[in-house]
Amino acid sequence: MKKVLLITHHETSNLGIISKILTKKYLITSIYYKNINIINSNDLLGFSAYIFFGGKMSANSSSKTIYTEFSFLKKLIASNKLIIGICLGAQLIAKIYGSKIYKNKNNFVEIGYRKLIKNDLKFFSNVSSMLQFHNEGIGFNPYMNVLAFGRIFEIDAFKIKSKKIYGFQFHPEINQSMIEYWYSKLSFKKQGTDNIRKILSDHKKYKEKNYKWLSDFLFKVIK
């Protein structure tokens, strides 16, 4: 049975629907990003796929733990591993390839369901909106094939050319408890933040199709 490593950015992470999907076919292991440096990185190279989750820290951080995570990601890239980045995970990947990770010039954020601006209609067939929950975004770099464009940031989804590497700024893994918890941790609501009732209403509207899309995607790429 193939193994999948989930890299989280919170010590007590809720992995959302991804863990439920993956346990149907794969053995899954999770590791907190701060623990990457205490495990021999060669021991972490024996997985079929790697999923880097979101987090409140910035891909522009100069911390040793983020530096270690960048180093680990570069080893995975050099080993031609299948890598999937979600939100912060996508930003880390994109930055390695030269993207600028930046805040909106008007200090707008994206928190709530937003319509996908699809550049690859086949890739995103049968889904229309995904949950966004970020205050920084991804700039274009020439190594990426753009799957979806952003709204107040440049890129919403990408695949690295000639690699099995995908990045999604949005959160396809989200469930209701995650939404409620993340929203409760917002210190104040910047422009671009939907109210919680609208987000939960949209989640109810879109979740089934989004979960189906995520499941189909994961089973297709993890071979």
Side-chain angles (χ1 to χ4, degrees):
M1 183 176 284
K2 293 185 180 297
K3 300 187 297 179
V4 180
L5 183 63
L6 312 179
I7 299 89
T8 69
H9 294 93
H10 300 284
E11 288 184 272
T12 55
S13 285
N14 182 336
L15 301 175
I17 195 68
I18 280 184
S19 60
K20 184 177 180 180
I21 292 171
L22 292 177
T23 51
K24 295 176 183 177
K25 290 190 176 183
Y26 312 109
L27 292 173
I28 62 171
T29 302
S30 65
I31 183 171
Y32 181 43
Y33 83 116
K34 287 187 177 180
N35 293 332
I36 291 174
N37 66 336
I38 64 176
I39 299 175
N40 187 321
S41 60
N42 290 329
D43 294 334
L44 297 177
L45 294 177
F47 292 80
S48 299
Y50 299 77
I51 302 177
F52 288 76
F53 283 77
K56 63 181 180 180
M57 58 289 297
S58 173
N60 295 321
S61 170
S62 58
S63 72
K64 289 183 179 179
T65 48
I66 290 293
Y67 176 82
T68 298
E69 190 169 7
F70 273 124
S71 297
F72 178 51
L73 256 172
K74 289 175 182 177
K75 285 187 177 181
L76 297 180
I77 292 169
S79 299
N80 290 315
K81 295 292 186 177
L82 168 61
I83 306 168
I84 300 166
I86 297 173
C87 200
L88 173 61
Q91 293 173 3
L92 294 170
I93 293 167
K95 186 168 183 178
I96 286 174
Y97 281 94
S99 286
K100 179 182 178 182
I101 308 302
Y102 62 101
K103 294 185 182 298
N104 175 266
K105 64 181 181 180
N106 296 314
N107 208 29
F108 289 1
V109 300
E110 283 193 310
I111 297 178
Y113 277 82
R114 300 289 182 268
K115 187 175 181 179
L116 291 170
I117 304 175
K118 305 174 187 180
N119 194 45
D120 188 326
L121 297 178
K122 185 177 179 181
F123 189 87
F124 287 114
S125 61
N126 300 320
V127 291
S128 59
S129 296
M130 289 284 187
L131 181 79
Q132 310 286 342
F133 214 102
H134 54 270
N135 60 16
E136 291 184 318
I138 298 170
F140 176 77
N141 73 67
Y143 295 95
M144 61 171 57
N145 285 323
V146 179
L147 303 174
F149 290 101
R151 291 143 302 275
I152 65 171
F153 301 101
E154 283 185 85
I155 306 299
D156 202 28
F158 63 87
K159 180 187 180 297
I160 297 300
K161 297 174 183 177
S162 302
K163 293 283 187 179
K164 298 177 293 183
I165 301 175
Y166 299 84
F168 306 122
Q169 182 64 78
F170 51 79
H171 289 273
E173 84 287 10
I174 201 74
N175 60 31
Q176 182 171 327
S177 63
M178 292 167 72
I179 293 172
E180 292 171 340
Y181 179 73
W182 292 356
Y183 204 89
S184 72
K185 294 299 179 181
L186 294 175
S187 54
F188 59 97
K189 313 300 187 292
K190 292 185 178 180
Q191 189 162 348
T193 305
D194 290 353
N195 68 62
I196 188 63
R197 286 173 297 189
K198 183 178 188 310
I199 296 175
L200 292 176
S201 175
D202 287 342
H203 178 65
K204 184 176 181 180
K205 178 179 179 181
Y206 296 118
K207 67 177 182 179
E208 294 303 327
K209 284 188 176 180
N210 291 357
Y211 290 173
K212 175 66 165 52
W213 173 85
L214 178 60
S215 180
D216 290 347
F217 166 72
L218 292 173
F219 292 154
K220 180 179 179 179
V221 298
I222 305 176
K223 298 177 180 179

mmCIF file of all heavy atoms in Angstrom, residues 9 22 30 33 35-36 40 47 72 80 84 99 105 132 134 163-164 175 179 203 214:
data_model
loop_
_atom_site.group_PDB
_atom_site.id
_atom_site.type_symbol
_atom_site.label_atom_id
_atom_site.label_comp_id
_atom_site.label_asym_id
_atom_site.label_seq_id
_atom_site.Cartn_x
_atom_site.Cartn_y
_atom_site.Cartn_z
ATOM 1 N N HIS A 9 1.204 22.593 9.832
ATOM 2 C CA HIS A 9 1.817 23.795 10.406
ATOM 3 C C HIS A 9 1.186 24.202 11.729
ATOM 4 O O HIS A 9 1.386 25.322 12.199
ATOM 5 C CB HIS A 9 1.763 24.933 9.389
ATOM 6 C CG HIS A 9 2.617 24.677 8.183
ATOM 7 N ND1 HIS A 9 2.122 24.094 7.033
ATOM 8 C CD2 HIS A 9 3.940 24.873 7.962
ATOM 9 C CE1 HIS A 9 3.096 23.959 6.149
ATOM 10 N NE2 HIS A 9 4.204 24.425 6.686
ATOM 11 N N LEU A 22 -7.938 9.833 2.006
ATOM 12 C CA LEU A 22 -6.714 9.071 1.789
ATOM 13 C C LEU A 22 -6.708 7.721 2.477
ATOM 14 O O LEU A 22 -6.128 6.765 1.968
ATOM 15 C CB LEU A 22 -5.503 9.887 2.243
ATOM 16 C CG LEU A 22 -5.170 11.129 1.406
ATOM 17 C CD1 LEU A 22 -3.999 11.875 2.011
ATOM 18 C CD2 LEU A 22 -4.853 10.745 -0.036
ATOM 19 N N SER A 30 1.396 11.867 9.485
ATOM 20 C CA SER A 30 1.514 13.328 9.541
ATOM 21 C C SER A 30 2.720 13.710 10.387
ATOM 22 O O SER A 30 3.116 12.990 11.302
ATOM 23 C CB SER A 30 0.245 13.962 10.109
ATOM 24 O OG SER A 30 0.041 13.587 11.447
ATOM 25 N N TYR A 33 5.654 20.558 11.068
ATOM 26 C CA TYR A 33 6.787 21.096 10.320
ATOM 27 C C TYR A 33 8.010 21.386 11.184
ATOM 28 O O TYR A 33 9.146 21.305 10.724
ATOM 29 C CB TYR A 33 6.363 22.340 9.535
ATOM 30 C CG TYR A 33 6.361 23.648 10.306
ATOM 31 C CD1 TYR A 33 7.210 24.685 9.956
ATOM 32 C CD2 TYR A 33 5.487 23.855 11.381
ATOM 33 C CE1 TYR A 33 7.204 25.901 10.638
ATOM 34 C CE2 TYR A 33 5.472 25.049 12.063
ATOM 35 C CZ TYR A 33 6.336 26.065 11.694
ATOM 36 O OH TYR A 33 6.332 27.259 12.392
ATOM 37 N N ASN A 35 9.154 19.556 13.397
ATOM 38 C CA ASN A 35 9.832 18.297 13.719
ATOM 39 C C ASN A 35 10.615 17.721 12.542
ATOM 40 O O ASN A 35 11.281 16.694 12.689
ATOM 41 C CB ASN A 35 8.814 17.254 14.203
ATOM 42 C CG ASN A 35 8.197 17.634 15.531
ATOM 43 O OD1 ASN A 35 8.810 18.335 16.338
ATOM 44 N ND2 ASN A 35 6.975 17.183 15.761
ATOM 45 N N ILE A 36 10.558 18.377 11.396
ATOM 46 C CA ILE A 36 11.294 17.883 10.229
ATOM 47 C C ILE A 36 12.786 17.813 10.527
ATOM 48 O O ILE A 36 13.478 16.873 10.124
ATOM 49 C CB ILE A 36 11.023 18.768 8.998
ATOM 50 C CG1 ILE A 36 9.572 18.592 8.520
ATOM 51 C CG2 ILE A 36 11.989 18.446 7.859
ATOM 52 C CD1 ILE A 36 9.178 19.527 7.394
ATOM 53 N N ASN A 40 15.863 12.257 10.393
ATOM 54 C CA ASN A 40 16.734 12.151 9.237
ATOM 55 C C ASN A 40 15.903 12.318 7.966
ATOM 56 O O ASN A 40 14.980 11.538 7.730
ATOM 57 C CB ASN A 40 17.434 10.791 9.247
ATOM 58 C CG ASN A 40 18.494 10.679 8.166
ATOM 59 O OD1 ASN A 40 18.316 11.158 7.052
ATOM 60 N ND2 ASN A 40 19.608 10.045 8.499
ATOM 61 N N PHE A 47 8.054 8.063 0.858
ATOM 62 C CA PHE A 47 6.614 8.179 0.663
ATOM 63 C C PHE A 47 6.290 8.397 -0.815
ATOM 64 O O PHE A 47 7.108 8.902 -1.587
ATOM 65 C CB PHE A 47 6.051 9.326 1.496
ATOM 66 C CG PHE A 47 6.108 9.078 2.979
ATOM 67 C CD1 PHE A 47 7.276 9.274 3.695
ATOM 68 C CD2 PHE A 47 4.987 8.629 3.667
ATOM 69 C CE1 PHE A 47 7.335 9.023 5.060
ATOM 70 C CE2 PHE A 47 5.029 8.391 5.022
ATOM 71 C CZ PHE A 47 6.203 8.583 5.722
ATOM 72 N N PHE A 72 13.842 20.836 2.969
ATOM 73 C CA PHE A 72 13.186 19.543 2.787
ATOM 74 C C PHE A 72 12.423 19.512 1.470
ATOM 75 O O PHE A 72 12.498 18.536 0.702
ATOM 76 C CB PHE A 72 12.247 19.275 3.968
ATOM 77 C CG PHE A 72 11.471 17.999 3.875
ATOM 78 C CD1 PHE A 72 12.095 16.792 3.614
ATOM 79 C CD2 PHE A 72 10.095 17.993 4.047
ATOM 80 C CE1 PHE A 72 11.375 15.612 3.524
ATOM 81 C CE2 PHE A 72 9.366 16.820 3.966
ATOM 82 C CZ PHE A 72 10.010 15.619 3.696
ATOM 83 N N ASN A 80 12.115 14.128 -7.483
ATOM 84 C CA ASN A 80 10.948 13.971 -8.370
ATOM 85 C C ASN A 80 9.738 13.360 -7.664
ATOM 86 O O ASN A 80 9.036 12.501 -8.211
ATOM 87 C CB ASN A 80 11.312 13.135 -9.602
ATOM 88 C CG ASN A 80 12.228 13.874 -10.542
ATOM 89 O OD1 ASN A 80 12.013 15.040 -10.846
ATOM 90 N ND2 ASN A 80 13.281 13.199 -10.997
ATOM 91 N N ILE A 84 1.990 18.186 -3.179
ATOM 92 C CA ILE A 84 0.780 18.999 -3.259
ATOM 93 C C ILE A 84 0.848 20.037 -2.147
ATOM 94 O O ILE A 84 1.038 19.687 -0.978
ATOM 95 C CB ILE A 84 -0.487 18.147 -3.106
ATOM 96 C CG1 ILE A 84 -0.555 17.088 -4.216
ATOM 97 C CG2 ILE A 84 -1.740 19.027 -3.117
ATOM 98 C CD1 ILE A 84 -1.569 15.995 -3.968
ATOM 99 N N SER A 99 8.515 32.687 -7.407
ATOM 100 C CA SER A 99 7.341 33.550 -7.230
ATOM 101 C C SER A 99 7.521 34.522 -6.074
ATOM 102 O O SER A 99 8.162 34.193 -5.063
ATOM 103 C CB SER A 99 6.089 32.710 -6.951
ATOM 104 O OG SER A 99 5.638 32.056 -8.102
ATOM 105 N N LYS A 105 -1.818 45.322 -2.126
ATOM 106 C CA LYS A 105 -1.361 46.697 -1.906
ATOM 107 C C LYS A 105 -2.373 47.533 -1.132
ATOM 108 O O LYS A 105 -2.006 48.519 -0.484
ATOM 109 C CB LYS A 105 -1.035 47.363 -3.240
ATOM 110 C CG LYS A 105 -2.224 47.536 -4.171
ATOM 111 C CD LYS A 105 -1.794 48.190 -5.486
ATOM 112 C CE LYS A 105 -2.971 48.390 -6.418
ATOM 113 N NZ LYS A 105 -2.559 49.024 -7.699
ATOM 114 N N GLN A 132 -11.327 30.429 0.219
ATOM 115 C CA GLN A 132 -10.062 31.151 0.341
ATOM 116 C C GLN A 132 -9.925 31.614 1.799
ATOM 117 O O GLN A 132 -10.910 32.038 2.414
ATOM 118 C CB GLN A 132 -10.047 32.361 -0.585
ATOM 119 C CG GLN A 132 -10.439 32.071 -2.025
ATOM 120 C CD GLN A 132 -9.363 31.346 -2.801
ATOM 121 O OE1 GLN A 132 -8.193 31.321 -2.419
ATOM 122 N NE2 GLN A 132 -9.744 30.748 -3.922
ATOM 123 N N HIS A 134 -6.702 33.582 3.276
ATOM 124 C CA HIS A 134 -5.297 34.014 3.273
ATOM 125 C C HIS A 134 -5.187 35.534 3.189
ATOM 126 O O HIS A 134 -6.088 36.209 2.709
ATOM 127 C CB HIS A 134 -4.544 33.375 2.106
ATOM 128 C CG HIS A 134 -5.200 33.610 0.776
ATOM 129 N ND1 HIS A 134 -6.145 32.763 0.250
ATOM 130 C CD2 HIS A 134 -5.058 34.601 -0.134
ATOM 131 C CE1 HIS A 134 -6.553 33.214 -0.920
ATOM 132 N NE2 HIS A 134 -5.914 34.335 -1.168
ATOM 133 N N LYS A 163 6.964 18.449 -13.689
ATOM 134 C CA LYS A 163 7.058 17.898 -12.343
ATOM 135 C C LYS A 163 5.671 17.475 -11.869
ATOM 136 O O LYS A 163 4.652 17.973 -12.353
ATOM 137 C CB LYS A 163 7.624 18.932 -11.356
ATOM 138 C CG LYS A 163 9.077 19.311 -11.586
ATOM 139 C CD LYS A 163 10.016 18.231 -11.072
ATOM 140 C CE LYS A 163 11.463 18.683 -11.137
ATOM 141 N NZ LYS A 163 12.388 17.642 -10.606
ATOM 142 N N LYS A 164 5.647 16.581 -10.902
ATOM 143 C CA LYS A 164 4.379 16.183 -10.282
ATOM 144 C C LYS A 164 4.176 17.044 -9.034
ATOM 145 O O LYS A 164 4.118 16.555 -7.914
ATOM 146 C CB LYS A 164 4.428 14.694 -9.924
ATOM 147 C CG LYS A 164 4.608 13.765 -11.111
ATOM 148 C CD LYS A 164 4.718 12.325 -10.693
ATOM 149 C CE LYS A 164 5.997 12.070 -9.904
ATOM 150 N NZ LYS A 164 6.156 10.631 -9.546
ATOM 151 N N ASN A 175 -13.492 21.551 6.303
ATOM 152 C CA ASN A 175 -14.777 21.090 6.826
ATOM 153 C C ASN A 175 -15.343 22.182 7.742
ATOM 154 O O ASN A 175 -14.682 23.199 7.998
ATOM 155 C CB ASN A 175 -14.660 19.741 7.547
ATOM 156 C CG ASN A 175 -13.709 19.772 8.728
ATOM 157 O OD1 ASN A 175 -13.556 20.800 9.396
ATOM 158 N ND2 ASN A 175 -13.054 18.651 9.002
ATOM 159 N N ILE A 179 -13.574 25.694 9.521
ATOM 160 C CA ILE A 179 -14.018 27.054 9.208
ATOM 161 C C ILE A 179 -14.336 27.820 10.492
ATOM 162 O O ILE A 179 -13.886 28.963 10.687
ATOM 163 C CB ILE A 179 -15.261 27.031 8.296
ATOM 164 C CG1 ILE A 179 -14.902 26.474 6.915
ATOM 165 C CG2 ILE A 179 -15.865 28.432 8.164
ATOM 166 C CD1 ILE A 179 -16.103 26.234 6.011
ATOM 167 N N HIS A 203 -20.377 26.967 2.226
ATOM 168 C CA HIS A 203 -19.760 25.655 2.437
ATOM 169 C C HIS A 203 -20.786 24.540 2.227
ATOM 170 O O HIS A 203 -20.504 23.529 1.558
ATOM 171 C CB HIS A 203 -19.182 25.575 3.849
ATOM 172 C CG HIS A 203 -18.575 24.251 4.170
ATOM 173 N ND1 HIS A 203 -17.459 23.765 3.534
ATOM 174 C CD2 HIS A 203 -18.947 23.284 5.057
ATOM 175 C CE1 HIS A 203 -17.153 22.572 4.009
ATOM 176 N NE2 HIS A 203 -18.046 22.257 4.929
ATOM 177 N N LEU A 214 -11.817 16.871 -5.075
ATOM 178 C CA LEU A 214 -10.575 16.591 -4.354
ATOM 179 C C LEU A 214 -10.273 15.098 -4.346
ATOM 180 O O LEU A 214 -9.131 14.688 -4.578
ATOM 181 C CB LEU A 214 -10.681 17.115 -2.925
ATOM 182 C CG LEU A 214 -9.463 16.860 -2.019
ATOM 183 C CD1 LEU A 214 -8.209 17.516 -2.584
ATOM 184 C CD2 LEU A 214 -9.734 17.356 -0.600
#
